[in-house]
């Protein structure tokens, strides 16, 4: 009855979803601009971090496009409370990564954290469902209590990468002992300049002898 009165709609085009469809309709899923570096071998994701920190593997599921399906979907996830989108893409990518030998070496999945004030305001970390589903597919722990955001930052979209984090520490590792000698998969919703992931990776890799791989929903 609820589905009749309030039909679930596609997060891409807003048309009503069919019974077998979830989150996005078949047409929007077909039209998603896939990146899938783990399948194509495209090195562009890895090259973002070249000379900044060593990355073992790096992939994004989709290519972000402004004023298109990807922008609408990610805005629904991040700003409109549609947190189930995160799990949808996590299950999708997790199923693919579980079949790739290089990703079977992952020991733990860690999300880029939100500051506690932003987490309280939004009610969820938009990357948590994504990370949980990937961890489930890889049969490894998902840990949200390792990497913490210790200072609140405003939007950094237009700041230069080299000046973003030079004034204060933004992230910290709560218990380095728990990640020592581990291969970590650091996950986020979207990568643009890579500055946030760089800061996280530097904190995770400081004095812990960890290896870092990266996975995001989208790449801009």
């Amino acid at each position: 009855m609820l589905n009749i009165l309030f039909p679930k709609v596609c997060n891409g085009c807003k048309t009503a979803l069919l019974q077998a469809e979830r989150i996005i309709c078949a047409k929007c899923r077909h039209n998603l601009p896939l990146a899938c570096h783990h399948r194509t071998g495209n090195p562009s994701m890895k090259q973002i971090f070249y000379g900044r920190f060593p990355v073992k593997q790096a992939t994004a599921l989709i290519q972000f496009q402004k004023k298109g399906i990807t922008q609408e979907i990610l805005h629904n996830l991040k700003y409109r409370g549609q947190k189930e989108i995160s799990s949808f893409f996590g299950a999708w990518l997790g199923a693919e990564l579980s079949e790739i030998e290089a990703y079977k070496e992952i020991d733990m999945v860690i999300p880029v954290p939100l500051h506690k004030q932003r987490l309280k305001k939004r009610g969820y970390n938009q990357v948590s469902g994504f990370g949980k589903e990937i961890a489930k597919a890889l049969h490894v722990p998902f840990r949200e209590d390792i990497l913490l955001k210790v200072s609140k930052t405003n939007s950094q979209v237009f700041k230069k990468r080299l000046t973003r984090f030079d004034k204060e520490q933004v992230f910290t590792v709560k218990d380095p002992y728990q990640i020592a000698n581990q291969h970590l998969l650091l996950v986020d919703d979207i990568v643009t300049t890579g500055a946030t992931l760089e800061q996280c990776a530097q904190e995770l890799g400081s004095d812990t002898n960890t290896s870092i791989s990266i996975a995001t929903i989208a790449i801009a």
Side-chain angles (χ1 to χ4, degrees), residues 96-110:
E96 296 197 6
L97 297 186
S98 68
E99 298 179 354
I100 299 174
E101 287 299 321
Y103 287 90
K104 293 179 181 179
E105 300 175 0
I106 299 293
D107 297 305
M108 187 183 298
V109 178
I110 294 180

Side-chain angles (χ1 to χ4, degrees), residues 2-71:
L2 284 176
N3 284 344
I4 296 175
L5 296 176
F6 305 101
K8 294 182 178 180
V9 299
C10 173
N11 278 277
C13 66
K14 302 301 186 224
T15 60
L17 292 174
L18 300 177
Q19 187 173 3
E21 296 173 334
R22 177 172 171 262
I23 307 301
I24 59 175
C25 66
K27 181 179 179 180
C28 283
R29 178 160 179 161
H30 177 74
N31 289 330
L32 278 176
L34 298 181
C36 294
H37 305 93
H38 53 282
R39 286 198 277 111
T40 66
N42 188 324
S44 60
M45 182 79 162
K46 258 189 172 183
Q47 288 172 350
I48 292 175
F49 307 102
Y50 181 77
R52 296 156 69 174
F53 66 92
V55 178
K56 292 201 73 174
Q57 307 295 331
T59 191
L61 185 61
I62 58 179
Q63 183 73 45
F64 180 81
Q65 294 177 344
K66 288 186 177 181
K67 299 181 179 180
I69 298 172
T70 55
Q71 182 177 38

Side-chain angles (χ1 to χ4, degrees), residues 136-182:
K136 185 189 300 184
L138 298 178
H139 305 289
V140 299
F142 173 77
R143 297 291 300 271
E144 289 187 283
D145 58 337
I146 299 290
L147 183 65
L148 306 176
K149 192 168 186 179
V150 294
S151 67
K152 189 177 180 181
T153 53
N154 294 321
S155 176
Q156 300 174 37
V157 174
F158 300 108
K159 295 183 180 180
K160 293 182 180 179
R161 175 177 66 85
L162 295 178
T163 61
R164 278 180 166 179
F165 302 111
D166 58 353
K167 293 184 179 180
E168 59 181 341
Q169 183 182 24
V170 177
F171 301 98
T172 190
V173 175
K174 183 178 179 180
D175 188 353
Y177 176 77
Q178 294 191 52
I179 60 172
N181 306 309
Q182 301 286 296

